[in-house]
Amino acid sequence: MSTPRVVTTDHLFEDRLYRAGVKSVGIGTFVLLVAIGAFLLLKSWPAFARHGVISFLTTTGFTTLGHHPSFGVAALLYWSVVIAVVAVVVGVPVAVGTALFISEFAPRRLRAVLVTLIDMLAVVPSVIFGLWGFYMLQPNLVGFARFLSVHLSFIPVFSVHSSVYSSSAFIAGVLVGIMIVPIVCSVAREIFSLAPLGEREGALALGATKATVIRSVVMPFARRGLAGSVMLGLGRALGETVAVAIIVSPSFIISPHILQQGGASIAAFIALRFGTGGQLGSAALLGAGLVLFVFTLVVNLGASVIVNRSVGGRRA
Amino acid sequence: MRRESGAAPAALEEPAPVPAPAPLRTVTTASGLVADGVSAWFSGRLVIESVSLEMEASKVTALIGPSGCGKSTFLRILNRMHEVTPGAELAGRVLLDGEDIYGPEMRPTETRRRIAMVFQKPNPFPAMTVEDNVLSGLKFSGKRPRGKEKDDLVEEMLTRAGLFSEVKARLKTLGGELSGGQQQRLCIARALAVRPSVLLMDEPCSALDPSSTRRIEETMREIAEEVTVVVVTHNMQQAQRVSDYCALFLAGENAPGRIVEKGSTKDIFENPKDERTSDYVHGRFG
Amino acid sequence: MSSTVVPAATETPRLGEGGPTPRALRRRSVRHFTATDALVLAGSLGASASLVWVVFYQLTFLAGAAGYVVCTLAVFLAIYYVANRHLFGRMAAADRVVAALATMAAAGVVTALALVVAWLVAHGYHLVSVTFLTRDQKGVLNTQPASAGGISHAIVGSLEEVGLATLIGAPAGVVTAVFLSEVGGRITGLVRTVVTAMSGLPPIVAGLFIYVVLITELHYGFRGFAGSLALAIMILPNVTRTTEEVLSVVHESLREASMALGAPAWRTVWSVVIPTARTGIVTALLLGIARVVGEAAPLIVTIFGSPAMNANPFSGPQEALPLFVFDYRSSSVAADIERAFSAGLVLVALVAVLFLLARIFSAMKPGTVGRLLRPSRHRRQEALS
């Protein structure tokens, strides 16, 4: 009597059909991503095979024509990371500050307006950011870049070897920094809103100022989620293509001088060089695309794991 | 499907569809429901053990008892909603007119049409109008009544649920716009529209105010003529007011729920055999 | 301040007697920003602005508005802290500075958006006309002024490419979301991870994939449809994630009610879950479309671009608005750059229309785009207890 009896939940043929159909689409989505990686690898293989994978990852130049092709993603990867880091350094404090303003300081009506404006910032096409960055942001930032290089040159990243301050990784990074504000701000806002009300009110009832509440209740709670949001912003910045392509002018020298001209990210380089460089060039660009793909995949997955753990776990 | 095509014509052959003021025509045939040695598990944990209960046709049976003693689980077993919960298992039989609803030939969807259910919280479909809510069960089984047939059906069901006069001007508004008590009666109308033989109600009034509660209790008494009603309730007065029979569920600490006593409501409240029943119905615990 | 304070009652209010007078109902403000506070704020701002002007502009090489604003704000914070600390103490000063920092950040973001839009309008509006919107660039010479020709081919191309991409990507995305939220199975976690990963896929990589498969492998050639497929890859994960989130908000009790009425599982999803989540799904779609309309990167490697009108996305190279902007702005001809600005303005107008549609038709709540951007949560409200 007390052995459980197996109940078949579903006898209906139509339901089985529905489940199978829906499931196959779900699996199709999965297959698609795997296929993207597989095809990129397959088609870029000639580029990897030429001098080996290690060489591809460590060579800085990108000459694919002529008798002695020599190419690799080292410089591109380096500058991708530099631009993304500048973007994070510029964008994250602004985004987190905005999120704090929205969740802690703004009156309710202003809050809704601000959130809508940030939504709008998120849908501005990146090519528009590129235009604006090139024609408006850059002329205004060049002076500041010179100022930094003159007065703060004892910090290595602010030193320069040339006096051309336009088309630099710094300017591209600032532009991308503005572009990642919406995503970082959105995650940060969500995390701040989940900070425990009890502790918050407890601190306030003890006479704490808002700053104290933020420092002692909100921030400790939000730290991990914010780390995730930073990674998310980093992933987005790494993949940003068109805006960076409009700003930078590619060079293949790895240097710490972010304020001077030079440096291009992988994504921007692909957009700029696509269709030039012959067959080997195509393969090499695909190889670069694959490296970018793997790199952003790792960063994004890491980010979503962290964000989900800190947001999802506490919501229930 | 098979069953319904058997029951529905019988209902339609009913003589002379009669003056409006007497809407309570017998359009369904109430069936008796028998639970035989029902046990249930959630993720391997036994929550009710060997419950047997006969729910007589055209009567109201109330399941009473403290929270967490398995009443709701038992109710959900009666129309195969139990198996929807992941990790849920069961043993025993549930007989509807002598036929095991868990038999290999029985489809859960069809069983649920014959044994309808009203939930604790009103849950009309918010994207559907009042009218569409009433007709939703038919739509799910592929039937779409049209024209006068549809209007008559909607009116009849809403009338039986005691709601028609309040919403007849608002049939095209969304179901979610009604008040809580009206929503719950809409859910009753929706459940009755599939012409079930049994109506299960899981604490249907616990989320409602006293006047809505009274309306729903009246509705229960009225529909009991043609539908067997099984109602879970925490409210002793309600059980006394609406039910013909009562079954008291109790669960010991770390022990599964069981029926302690069952019988006519009068006996349970006035002449309980078990001391625990007497304690419970007089509010001495639970 | 005085205007928000209730005037002293002329008679003692009698509690529990009669109704309160309208005057007694006036709400009191609990936010207090006094004249002193305003003075400190204005003083600090003025002091920092002048200080930076004198010290940095005149004595150093600082140039450009951006640098000036950044330095001014940094100096302002320092002065503001010192002033507040002197007047109100350390705790209050820290509080003020944190509030100022947050306000500055928010103001900065809004300013950036305003600058982008204002700049684009100022540089793009004068070319936008009926002819600009209805002609293409076929046969337009370098020597002709910017007003020659138009961008109709790019508009048509964009609409077709994005339309097709939506037709492919959106249903697939919604069905994948139904799989994740309503059907599930052992591979749910895997699919969800992959979808999350895909939503961070750089646009250029999506384009490269289509390029590799369709153009180099199948010799399909550069066509509008190739671009559509690349955009569909971008729409799919976003729609999936937002839709899954919207579906998971549909209360479990509605699914139960539907099942208790004898509905098969597919019916429950089709007639109850999806209609209930309809507005949210529409928002997800519109915003997903708004985001890919402006995407140039995947198109660079798939549609090639063309100066002439090509209304057939299945044959020959096609143009698109973002690609037009990207290509023409790198031209050495001034007229082409002007065209790029105006095309950019048209593109932003298109995105704005989609954004507004999302707002109007689906009563979108603020923050929806933000939710679209971040990893989704996978919680379903529990009805069983």
Side-chain angles (χ1 to χ4, degrees):
Chain A
M1 184 82 285
S2 32
T3 37
R5 133 182 192 178
V6 179
V7 184
T8 36
T9 321
D10 209 323
H11 301 280
L12 288 177
F13 172 70
E14 47 194 299
D15 263 356
R16 263 180 294 176
L17 198 69
Y18 147 78
R19 273 172 219 278
V22 167
K23 193 170 179 176
S24 55
V25 172
I27 293 170
T29 305
F30 169 69
V31 170
L32 189 63
L33 189 85
V34 178
I36 290 176
F39 268 94
L40 285 179
L41 182 63
L42 194 71
K43 283 294 166 177
S44 60
W45 193 247
F48 287 113
R50 183 103 195 174
H51 299 294
V53 175
I54 303 296
S55 157
F56 189 77
L57 290 176
T58 53
T59 307
T60 54
F62 218 91
T63 318
T64 54
L65 295 170
H67 294 294
H68 301 288
S70 154
F71 49 83
V73 290
L76 295 173
L77 194 57
Y78 170 78
W79 285 113
S80 294
V81 173
V82 167
I83 291 172
V85 167
V86 173
V88 164
V89 167
V90 173
V92 167
V94 173
V96 172
T98 307
L100 268 185
F101 181 75
I102 292 172
S103 71
E104 310 290 325
F105 295 102
R108 195 185 310 155
R109 245 178 250 158
L110 184 60
R111 196 175 296 180
V113 172
L114 265 176
V115 171
T116 304
L117 287 177
I118 289 166
D119 275 358
M120 286 165 76
L121 195 65
V123 295
V124 172
S126 61
V127 69
I128 301 300
F129 271 113
L131 280 188
W132 177 77
F134 189 85
Y135 291 100
M136 186 173 188
L137 187 66
Q138 174 156 295
N140 279 299
L141 269 183
V142 164
F144 186 57
R146 186 183 300 124
F147 172 81
L148 288 177
S149 76
V150 170
H151 298 281
L152 298 172
S153 60
F154 55 89
I155 303 171
V157 293
F158 289 148
S159 67
V160 287
H161 277 167
S162 88
S163 56
V164 183
Y165 292 97
S166 60
S167 300
S168 66
F170 169 69
I171 291 172
V174 171
L175 181 62
V176 176
I178 297 173
M179 296 173 71
I180 64 169
V181 163
I183 184 173
V184 179
C185 180
S186 159
V187 177
R189 212 160 47 80
E190 164 109 16
I191 294 166
F192 292 155
S193 73
L194 295 178
L197 192 66
E199 289 178 33
R200 202 187 270 262
E201 298 198 326
L204 283 175
L206 287 171
T209 59
K210 272 185 179 171
T212 318
V213 172
I214 290 169
R215 209 191 39 178
S216 58
V217 177
V218 178
M219 281 303 174
F221 171 84
R223 199 172 296 141
R224 199 153 97 196
L226 286 182
S229 79
V230 170
M231 273 182 88
L232 219 53
L234 197 66
R236 198 125 312 221
L238 282 171
E240 182 45 52
T241 312
V242 170
V244 178
I246 289 175
I247 299 291
V248 296
S249 65
S251 84
F252 300 99
I253 301 159
I254 294 182
S255 79
H257 312 303
I258 62 167
L259 293 177
Q260 70 189 36
Q261 188 168 47
S265 68
I266 294 180
F269 185 74
I270 296 172
L272 290 170
R273 282 292 177 86
F274 183 76
T276 66
Q279 267 210 318
L280 190 59
S282 284
L285 284 184
L286 291 178
L290 182 65
V291 172
L292 176 65
F293 175 67
V294 173
F295 207 72
T296 48
L297 206 63
V298 170
V299 171
N300 282 324
L301 284 181
S304 61
V305 167
I306 297 174
V307 173
N308 266 335
R309 231 182 252 160
S310 55
V311 177
R314 276 159 176 159
R315 169 140 282 205
Chain B
M1 220 62 98
R2 280 161 294 158
R3 162 71 198 188
E4 218 163 289
S5 51
L12 293 177
E13 280 159 23
E14 201 68 21
V18 256
L24 299 177
R25 291 267 86 201
T26 307
V27 286
T28 42
T29 42
S31 304
L33 198 58
V34 177
D36 176 19
V38 168
S39 305
W41 291 259
F42 281 119
S43 314
R45 192 170 56 89
L46 186 64
V47 289
I48 44 181
E49 188 177 11
S50 297
V51 169
S52 296
L53 182 66
E54 199 170 325
M55 288 145 278
E56 206 176 302
S58 299
K59 298 288 183 206
V60 178
T61 305
L63 311 180
I64 57 174
S67 303
C69 63
K71 308 180 299 292
S72 292
T73 304
F74 178 70
L75 197 75
R76 289 167 67 89
I77 287 175
L78 295 181
N79 76 336
R80 301 197 63 166
M81 287 299 284
H82 178 62
E83 66 207 58
V84 170
T85 316
E89 294 169 304
L90 67 106
R93 297 188 303 163
V94 177
L95 306 173
L96 177 66
D97 284 339
E99 205 180 351
D100 186 6
I101 64 167
Y102 286 95
E105 290 301 302
M106 303 297 287
R107 288 178 165 183
T109 50
E110 194 194 322
T111 304
R112 290 175 198 143
R113 266 173 236 149
R114 289 169 58 189
I115 307 174
M117 187 164 197
V118 171
F119 294 81
Q120 183 171 0
K121 279 194 191 135
N123 53 3
F125 301 125
M128 294 185 193
T129 61
V130 169
E131 185 178 280
D132 287 345
N133 260 292
V134 175
L135 299 170
S136 57
L138 295 174
K139 187 177 160 197
F140 295 155
S141 50
K143 291 189 209 100
R144 280 166 204 276
R146 292 184 191 285
K148 188 166 181 334
E149 187 194 352
K150 180 190 77 175
D151 295 341
D152 289 349
L153 185 75
V154 170
E155 178 172 346
E156 181 195 338
M157 293 307 155
L158 287 172
T159 309
R160 289 175 71 192
L163 185 61
F164 186 69
S165 56
E166 289 168 54
V167 299
K168 64 184 167 199
R170 292 198 281 164
L171 293 180
K172 303 287 183 196
T173 59
L174 294 180
E177 289 172 18
L178 302 181
S179 74
Q182 289 173 331
Q183 286 187 7
Q184 192 62 302
R185 277 177 280 152
L186 177 59
C187 291
I188 295 174
R190 178 176 72 184
L192 293 175
V194 293
R195 307 213 185 267
S197 318
V198 180
L199 181 64
L200 309 178
M201 304 175 100
D202 189 358
E203 296 181 46
C205 303
S206 68
L208 304 179
D209 61 275
S211 76
S212 298
T213 300
R214 209 191 56 238
R215 294 282 302 121
I216 288 183
E217 286 176 6
E218 285 166 11
T219 304
M220 268 190 249
R221 285 304 333 166
E222 284 162 9
I223 60 177
E225 286 175 31
E226 37 307 337
V227 188
T228 308
V229 176
V230 183
V231 56
V232 168
T233 179
H234 274 128
N235 182 331
M236 290 306 108
Q237 286 75 34
Q238 180 171 67
Q240 241 173 325
R241 283 193 297 265
V242 300
S243 70
D244 303 300
Y245 297 97
C246 266
L248 174 68
F249 281 68
L250 281 181
E253 259 176 65
N254 298 320
R258 287 167 216 260
I259 291 185
V260 172
E261 187 168 354
K262 54 195 173 190
S264 77
T265 303
K266 200 169 160 34
D267 286 347
I268 293 275
F269 281 90
E270 288 166 17
N271 192 15
K273 294 186 187 67
D274 196 299
E275 197 179 326
R276 288 171 294 178
T277 311
S278 148
D279 286 351
Y280 185 75
V281 299
H282 294 111
R284 281 194 280 271
F285 77 88
Chain C
M1 292 174 44
S2 58
S3 67
T4 57
V5 173
V6 179
T10 45
E11 50 185 313
T12 351
R14 283 163 296 173
L15 293 174
E17 234 179 84
T21 62
R23 166 164 292 188
L25 272 178
R26 184 162 346 134
R27 292 158 182 78
R28 287 189 61 174
S29 168
V30 290
R31 287 169 175 266
H32 294 292
F33 192 74
T34 62
T36 322
D37 295 332
L39 205 64
V40 171
L41 183 64
S44 307
L45 263 178
S48 57
S50 342
L51 189 68
V52 172
W53 178 261
V54 174
V55 175
F56 292 76
Y57 247 89
Q58 309 303 322
L59 303 182
T60 70
F61 290 96
L62 179 65
Y68 181 65
V69 171
V70 170
C71 291
T72 303
L73 291 179
V75 174
F76 160 75
L77 284 176
I79 296 178
Y80 194 52
Y81 178 78
V82 172
N84 273 303
R85 182 174 176 173
H86 182 74
L87 287 170
F88 307 109
R90 202 166 51 82
M91 290 286 279
D95 192 38
R96 291 280 159 82
V97 168
V98 169
L101 267 173
T103 312
M104 271 156 46
V109 173
V110 173
T111 310
L113 178 67
L115 284 177
V116 171
V117 174
W119 176 85
L120 191 65
V121 171
H123 286 78
Y125 81 96
H126 61 277
L127 263 193
V128 179
S129 65
V130 175
T131 48
F132 187 70
L133 296 175
T134 53
R135 287 197 203 145
D136 61 14
Q137 291 286 331
K138 194 179 176 187
V140 174
L141 301 173
N142 276 352
T143 49
Q144 285 178 276
S147 53
I151 56 166
S152 65
H153 59 309
I155 297 175
V156 168
S158 263
L159 293 180
E160 287 182 352
E161 288 146 21
V162 172
L164 283 170
T166 310
L167 282 182
I168 301 163
V174 171
V175 175
T176 307
V178 168
F179 168 70
L180 291 177
S181 162
E182 308 295 320
V183 176
R186 258 169 299 166
I187 55 164
T188 313
L190 198 60
V191 171
R192 189 176 286 133
T193 309
V194 160
V195 167
T196 309
M198 263 175 89
S199 65
L201 190 72
I204 189 84
V205 174
L208 280 179
F209 170 66
I210 295 301
Y211 170 76
V212 166
V213 174
L214 271 191
I215 295 168
T216 69
E217 191 67 16
L218 302 172
H219 304 289
Y220 185 73
F222 293 104
R223 287 174 207 184
F225 187 61
S228 299
L229 290 176
L231 295 180
I233 293 182
M234 309 217 48
I235 290 182
L236 173 71
N238 280 324
V239 169
T240 302
R241 284 177 24 195
T242 350
T243 307
E244 190 198 354
E245 195 161 318
V246 174
L247 292 180
S248 70
V249 176
V250 174
H251 207 276
E252 196 61 33
S253 71
L254 294 179
R255 294 187 183 85
E256 295 216 318
S258 170
M259 273 185 281
L261 284 167
W266 68 272
R267 265 282 182 203
T268 303
V269 171
W270 182 252
S271 301
V272 175
V273 178
I274 289 182
T276 307
R278 190 177 45 211
T279 52
I281 296 175
V282 170
T283 311
L285 290 183
L286 283 170
L287 291 177
I289 296 167
R291 276 165 57 74
V292 298
V293 165
E295 209 53 89
L299 301 178
I300 294 172
V301 297
T302 51
I303 65 170
F304 201 73
S306 143
M309 169 69 81
N310 172 13
N312 183 356
F314 300 102
S315 149
Q318 215 179 12
E319 190 57 273
L321 272 175
L323 187 62
F324 182 94
V325 176
F326 184 69
D327 282 343
Y328 276 66
R329 79 102 228 154
S330 62
S331 162
S332 54
V333 181
D336 282 345
I337 295 177
E338 277 184 59
R339 290 187 185 109
F341 292 161
S342 297
L345 184 58
V346 173
L347 175 59
V348 166
L350 193 61
V351 173
V353 167
L354 285 167
F355 191 87
L356 279 178
L357 280 181
R359 208 68 215 257
I360 296 165
F361 281 107
S362 55
M364 175 174 97
K365 291 188 198 78
T368 312
V369 181
R371 252 191 292 122
L372 212 146
L373 293 173
R374 65 182 175 241
S376 48
R377 285 168 284 104
H378 331 291
R379 308 261 149 221
R380 183 185 273 183
Q381 295 178 27
E382 291 297 326
L384 308 174
S385 48

